[in-house]
Amino acid sequence: MDMTETALVQADQKYKIVILEDYRIAYQSRLTSLLGRKEVLTGKAKFGIFGDGKELPQIAMAKAFRKGDFRSGYYRDQTFMMASGLLNIQEFFAQLYANTDVNAEPASAGRMMNGHYGTRSLDEHGQWKELKNLKNSSSDISPTAAQMLRLVGLAHASKYYRQHKDLIGTNAFSVNGNEVAWGTIGNASTSEGHFFEAINAGGVLQVPMVVSVWDDSYGISVHAKYQTTKENISEILKGFQRDEKGEGYQIFTVKGWDYPALCAVYEEAGKLSREKHIPCLVHVTELTQPQGHSTSGSHERYKSKERLAWELENDCLKRFKEWILKNNISTESELEQIENDAKILVNVSKKNAWESYLNPIKQEIAESCNLLNNLAEQTSKGDEIAALAQELSSIAEPIRKEIGVAIHKALRLTFSEKTDARRNLESWKSTFEKNNFDRYNSYLHSESSLGALKVVEVKPIFNEGSKMVDGREVLVAYFDQLFSKDPRVMAFGEDVGKIGDVNQGFAGLQEKHGEGRIFDTGIRELTIVGQGIGTAMRGLRPIAEIQYLDYLLYALQPLSDDVATLQYRTKGGQKAPLIIRTRGHRLEGIWHSGSPMGMILNSLRGMLVLTPRNMVQAAGMYQTLIQSDEPALIIECLNGYRLKERMPENLGEYTIPLGIPEIIEEGSDVTVVSYGSTLRVVQEASKMLKEVGILIEIIDVQTLLPFDINHLISESLKKTNKLVVIDEDVPGGASAFILQQILEQQDGYHHLDAKPITLTAKAHRPAYGTDGDYFSKPNAEEMYDAIFNLMLAYNPNRF
Ligand SMILES: Cc1ncc(C[n+]2csc(CCOP(=O)(O)OP(=O)(O)O)c2C)c(N)n1
Ligand SMILES: [Mg+2]
């Protein structure tokens, strides 16, 4: 052999090794799916959804995936995760069994059902890791197509880092923006508005995202003919194809069983996106579902015999094997060896996963049974308690609920006894509960040193020379210094860039700080939020604007499903410290003066909800948020931008502590609790009430989540013994939450001498015009009447 021949053989050999490695991973993944389904059907796991039939394109995608890149995908992606080294087989099974140990199940510590992948961006202290040196996956959620929203932001972060590399310098997240965000979505999920909105946004922004559509012609039982015009997503997206002007997408269509073509497509798409920030769409067709959609049903019910036969023939793994053999890359027996090794590995991994899931529970069973048996010896209910222990220890595959139920019963049976054994059991139970709190209830909010409640308060400073200005000018001055100081901060939304938002809070700032920092977006609330999530997940500090509070409904899905759950569903493994800025409460008409605070409070637990009464408070809250790592919604008063306020001397330094209400008027007769714009109306009512000698104590709660953490309101009730909650939301909306907090959480009912009252807006949306507002929202005269009547009933002799 001459030199070139040797080189060729060596190259061939290398090529073969790579291909066989790909076959090995794909085959292991397939076996994992097959075994996973069995585990569910035999009752070891509750639900299973698997990546079978989608292995090959994911192997190809993983080849193009580099350090610093991010995936934003869905439940079919186990092979990609395995091929990228981000998931091993044991971890796959650990999630299937809901192992709550974060080391065994790093994606969610058993909190999410199987198939929900994600890497840990944060260390155990909640601090960022060097994400540019890691392969990353954002944490999956179940709502179809929702992953497309944050994909836009993950991709936009690369563009931002590239554009501002001199400003930002070396950082943990990006090397010159050379990272790609890889999205995956099922064919049927492309029917969602989320998908189309995200595709359009990515095209407008020209950001490095590669969207793969895994097309198996079905969405559960519903065929593509009901999902997609022409049954073909790449066909109908042709208008997005890049043209000679260089704008748009590079669109690829490739068959899901065609290994060389898949490898070539992903290499090209990755390169285009990484180097030139060109978004790409890869439509992967002719995929199958060997085991149907999930363990919840069988596809024989809705697929024809012909289709089922076609799927068998065109299974990507089968065709990959045929291709390997046809091209003499390997032999039957060599492949068989790989398959046999895979069988052993998958079985051993499954077994290890099961044991590591079950052993700690068995340990707890042993401990609790021991304590129950001790108790049995010291009680007249010995037989019953011993039977409980016996029953508990005989469960072959126990869960913790069974321990909790048995202990509770034992303590019930012996409730009047005071033995050491019972005390020991109680003490064990309290540790058990603490551990279960950690397993199932921790990390709703950041537990890092950057938690919002840990931000140190700095009071605003005013002096004699402090100017009186329009409220919006306080914001402009605040944001101006923020953009100067912190290159991670960007602000965007509808009309945010050129005109500096509809109320001029960013006026002139785009000109000063650049179009990359403060910019306009299309009218697309879902992806405005997604852009915020993705950029925040990559170390930036986005302020994403929803133009009016009423339009938060459009943005609510990703806020509720993605942002609010992120810390919780990853048990502190990921964070998106996103600030959503909006304005509302009072102005004009049905869609410009809403205050759906109950909806917000009920859907956004996990976020902070801040309701500053003026712009000085708002600027201080922004400063608190920017120093913390928690996501928040901040609602400015729509009618407050032109009201005069004093400009603080220490903008950008003072902070408003969260969860700390403020008494804005002292009084001894009634505690009146409210927030936001309504406070000004309450102050009008207060003037009228003073005329008849009634002094109300007006408390601005300032932040609804967190709510009055030091129980200031309850303290006020000790003095007044009467409570009125005034709220612009519908009856029983936010006011119900506020009452629950005061009466139950703060034990406020102890201090009441009269029925607590809520005064709210009417149940309908507010009508247009000043009269519409007056007769729809709580007005000063109604407030006067409600409070006067309360006082009259309480002490008729006083008036
Ligand atoms: C918003 C929302 N609607 C419905 C569902 C229930 N659901 C889960 S998967 C699925 C079908 C998805 O099909 P496709 O996108 O083609 O992905 P495939 O499972 O075929 O890979 C549906 C309807 C959901 N998870 N989220
Ligand atoms: Mg499908």
Side-chain angles (χ1 to χ4, degrees):
M1 281 198 280
D2 65 15
M3 283 295 285
T4 34
E5 235 177 307
T6 316
L8 274 176
V9 170
Q10 280 170 352
D12 256 13
Q13 191 56 27
K14 209 172 134 207
Y15 185 55
K16 173 180 169 176
I17 291 170
V18 170
I19 293 169
L20 293 191
E21 176 65 7
D22 288 345
Y23 184 73
R24 186 179 64 78
I25 293 174
Y27 196 84
Q28 283 172 2
S29 176
R30 175 63 59 90
L31 284 183
T32 302
S33 300
L34 300 177
L35 255 166
R37 185 176 171 89
K38 271 199 198 141
E39 293 301 276
V40 177
L41 300 185
T42 56
K44 278 203 165 78
K46 294 205 85 169
F47 173 78
I49 193 151
F50 306 102
D52 47 314
K54 316 279 189 299
E55 291 90 349
L56 216 48
Q58 295 184 22
I59 295 270
M61 180 169 127
K63 285 180 192 295
F65 193 72
R66 304 265 183 282
K67 285 184 181 162
D69 286 5
F70 257 89
R71 161 190 171 272
S72 185
Y74 79 117
Y75 50 77
R76 292 286 178 223
D77 293 345
Q78 72 194 49
T79 315
F80 170 79
M81 294 298 287
M82 288 172 179
S84 302
L86 303 179
L87 173 78
N88 64 39
I89 301 165
Q90 188 168 331
E91 287 165 347
F92 181 91
F93 282 101
Q95 190 177 52
L96 192 72
Y97 303 138
N99 190 331
T100 54
D101 179 350
V102 75
N103 296 311
E105 203 281 86
S108 80
R111 292 178 176 193
M112 289 200 284
M113 64 169 46
N114 99 296
H116 288 63
Y117 304 110
T119 49
R120 300 191 78 75
S121 303
L122 306 177
D123 65 18
E124 63 276 25
H125 305 295
Q127 306 292 331
W128 293 113
K129 295 180 185 167
E130 291 269 313
L131 301 189
K132 66 181 176 194
N133 295 327
L134 299 171
K135 293 182 174 180
N136 306 285
S137 168
S138 61
S139 164
D140 293 356
I141 60 178
S142 296
T144 46
Q147 72 274 21
M148 292 296 297
L149 308 178
R150 85 175 90 85
L151 180 69
V152 175
L154 291 169
H156 182 232
S158 285
K159 180 166 178 164
Y160 188 89
Y161 280 116
R162 190 175 283 182
Q163 269 181 346
H164 300 99
K165 62 174 184 291
D166 296 336
L167 200 60
I168 294 184
T170 308
N171 65 81
F173 305 94
S174 173
V175 179
N176 192 26
N178 293 337
E179 307 83 20
V180 174
W182 301 82
T184 70
I185 184 166
N187 59 295
S189 301
T190 66
S191 313
E192 297 276 15
H194 291 49
F195 173 79
F196 288 95
E197 191 183 307
I199 289 290
N200 182 50
V204 169
L205 291 165
Q206 290 291 292
V207 286
M209 57 194 232
V210 177
V211 179
S212 292
V213 180
W214 306 146
D215 191 345
D216 56 15
S217 299
Y218 281 86
I220 310 186
S221 65
V222 182
H223 188 261
K225 70 180 171 215
Y226 302 108
Q227 302 280 3
T228 308
T229 309
K230 303 183 183 180
E231 298 180 31
N232 188 332
I233 192 68
S234 52
E235 175 68 22
I236 61 171
L237 290 180
K238 270 189 174 157
F240 284 88
Q241 174 61 47
R242 269 192 322 152
D243 53 24
E244 56 292 346
K245 279 200 278 167
E247 284 166 22
Y249 276 75
Q250 191 60 36
I251 299 180
F252 302 86
T253 305
V254 57
K255 304 231 185 317
W257 43 260
D258 189 345
Y259 176 78
L262 285 163
C263 293
V265 161
Y266 277 101
E267 191 182 326
E268 192 184 340
K271 197 163 146 57
L272 269 179
S273 226
R274 192 177 310 282
E275 289 173 7
K276 302 199 178 125
H277 284 187
I278 292 165
C280 298
L281 178 93
V282 183
H283 182 196
V284 183
T285 61
E286 300 198 8
L287 289 169
T288 67
Q289 294 179 337
Q291 304 188 102
H293 175 78
S294 71
T295 52
S296 298
S298 71
H299 59 158
E300 287 80 9
R301 277 188 303 161
Y302 50 79
K303 284 179 188 162
S304 67
K305 276 204 187 77
E306 294 71 32
R307 170 72 197 185
L308 289 166
W310 181 89
E311 288 202 11
L312 275 182
E313 269 317 296
N314 291 284
D315 181 322
C316 64
L317 193 57
K318 175 172 175 285
R319 291 195 67 164
F320 185 29
K321 186 173 178 176
E322 287 164 0
W323 177 84
I324 293 172
L325 293 172
K326 197 174 114 212
N327 287 285
N328 296 322
I329 296 163
S330 180
T331 59
E332 285 272 11
S333 68
E334 205 172 7
L335 293 181
E336 205 171 297
Q337 183 60 43
I338 291 174
E339 292 169 5
N340 287 335
D341 290 349
K343 268 179 211 145
I344 294 166
L345 179 71
V346 174
N347 267 306
V348 168
S349 304
K350 183 202 76 161
K351 191 164 160 284
N352 289 344
W354 178 248
E355 278 169 11
S356 89
Y357 157 75
L358 201 60
N359 284 344
I361 302 181
K362 283 199 162 155
Q363 174 67 26
E364 288 172 35
I365 293 270
E367 289 173 20
S368 54
C369 284
N370 206 5
L371 291 166
L372 286 171
N373 284 326
N374 289 348
L375 179 64
E377 283 170 19
Q378 294 185 21
T379 169
S380 57
K381 305 276 172 39
D383 288 350
E384 278 172 90
I385 308 274
L388 272 180
Q390 173 57 31
E391 211 177 301
L392 195 56
S393 62
S394 66
I395 303 171
E397 288 162 6
I399 57 172
R400 292 194 170 89
K401 176 184 168 186
E402 285 152 339
I403 303 176
V405 170
I407 293 179
H408 193 266
K409 185 164 181 193
L411 293 173
R412 253 173 19 236
L413 286 168
T414 57
F415 82 101
S416 59
E417 299 175 9
K418 290 190 177 64
T419 58
D420 281 349
R422 191 172 188 280
R423 268 190 292 275
N424 290 343
L425 185 62
E426 272 183 321
S427 137
W428 191 88
K429 179 174 178 251
S430 105
T431 309
F432 176 69
E433 281 165 358
K434 213 170 102 235
N435 291 339
N436 287 331
F437 185 91
D438 174 62
R439 287 185 187 111
Y440 297 106
N441 312 109
S442 61
Y443 281 100
L444 178 59
H445 292 281
S446 167
E447 296 187 9
S448 81
S449 59
L450 299 172
L453 292 181
K454 297 185 182 122
V455 174
V456 177
E457 179 181 7
V458 177
K459 292 203 187 306
I461 296 171
F462 301 98
N463 59 36
E464 306 210 327
S466 299
K467 281 184 297 184
M468 289 300 284
V469 296
D470 285 354
R472 67 156 201 94
E473 292 177 74
V474 177
L475 289 177
V476 175
Y478 171 76
F479 287 131
D480 188 14
Q481 62 76 39
L482 179 64
F483 282 109
S484 299
K485 253 188 350 211
D486 193 340
R488 303 168 308 160
V489 177
M490 60 165 92
F492 51 89
E494 296 151 19
D495 303 288
V496 163
K498 196 154 194 129
I499 64 165
D501 96 43
V502 285
N503 293 89
Q504 304 271 285
F506 293 118
L509 298 186
Q510 184 185 65
E511 243 177 11
K512 181 164 171 191
H513 299 282
E515 253 186 83
R517 306 280 309 277
I518 300 143
F519 50 93
D520 289 319
T521 67
I523 306 175
R524 48 174 182 80
E525 286 76 11
L526 283 168
T527 47
I528 287 173
V529 172
Q531 213 168 336
I533 302 172
T535 47
M537 280 181 156
R538 294 191 58 199
L540 297 168
R541 293 308 309 259
I543 300 174
E545 183 163 310
I546 299 298
Q547 197 161 74
Y548 297 103
L549 181 55
D550 304 74
Y551 306 129
L552 193 76
L553 266 173
Y554 276 52
L556 202 60
Q557 187 275 324
L559 290 177
S560 181
D561 286 326
D562 205 348
V563 181
T565 65
L566 183 63
Q567 281 265 339
Y568 176 79
R569 73 180 194 265
T570 59
K571 204 182 182 199
Q574 295 189 8
K575 63 181 174 184
L578 159 68
I579 300 174
I580 300 287
R581 175 181 188 226
T582 187
R583 53 190 70 85
H585 299 318
R586 272 183 188 245
L587 200 69
E588 294 297 342
I590 294 179
W591 291 281
H592 295 85
S593 53
S595 197
M597 301 307 298
M599 168 189 92
I600 290 167
L601 291 167
N602 288 334
S603 56
L604 298 186
R605 301 300 166 97
M607 287 185 73
L608 310 171
V609 176
L610 318 184
T611 47
R613 67 178 176 276
N614 60 35
M615 305 311 158
V616 169
Q617 298 304 101
M621 289 182 190
Y622 283 115
Q623 186 56 27
T624 303
L625 292 177
I626 220 76
Q627 292 183 31
S628 96
D629 66 356
E630 302 207 45
L633 170 68
I634 176 159
I635 304 164
E636 295 166 13
C637 295
L638 189 42
N639 62 4
Y641 294 105
R642 304 216 171 261
L643 298 180
K644 294 290 180 205
E645 296 184 43
R646 267 196 307 165
M647 179 76 91
E649 301 299 318
N650 56 343
L651 271 182
E653 284 163 24
Y654 77 90
T655 54
I656 300 290
L658 308 187
I660 308 294
E662 201 173 302
I663 299 175
I664 57 171
E665 264 186 50
E666 289 196 18
S668 50
D669 288 320
V670 183
T671 300
V672 179
V673 174
S674 193
Y675 57 90
S677 304
T678 303
L679 287 165
R680 284 189 284 278
V681 189
V682 179
Q683 285 177 302
E684 277 175 50
S686 171
K687 278 191 204 129
M688 294 188 255
L689 287 160
K690 275 190 193 130
E691 291 166 11
V692 290
I694 296 172
L695 301 176
I696 61 174
E697 178 140 299
I698 306 177
I699 300 186
D700 174 7
V701 300
Q702 301 218 79
T703 67
L704 286 161
L705 294 175
F707 187 88
D708 187 10
I709 52 174
N710 297 328
H711 299 186
L712 177 97
I713 299 171
S714 190
E715 278 304 307
S716 167
L717 290 180
K718 284 186 188 162
K719 174 169 68 173
T720 65
N721 311 117
K722 293 173 236 44
L723 173 64
V724 176
V725 173
I726 302 186
D727 179 29
E728 290 183 49
D729 196 4
V730 294
S735 57
F737 168 78
I738 294 174
L739 272 190
Q740 181 263 343
Q741 289 290 307
I742 300 171
L743 300 186
E744 190 180 69
Q745 286 290 110
Q746 306 188 2
D747 282 339
Y749 76 101
H750 274 310
H751 314 302
L752 290 184
D753 286 345
K755 183 178 96 170
I757 291 176
T758 65
L759 185 62
T760 68
K762 300 288 186 291
H764 54 74
R765 305 272 186 111
Y768 179 65
T770 306
D771 279 350
D773 172 79
Y774 184 83
F775 292 106
S776 302
K777 294 269 186 161
N779 62 50
E781 284 66 31
E782 281 172 343
M783 293 178 196
Y784 174 94
D785 288 348
I787 295 168
F788 183 80
N789 288 334
L790 171 68
M791 292 301 292
L792 193 64
Y794 175 69
N795 186 357
N797 299 330
R798 181 168 155 183
F799 300 96

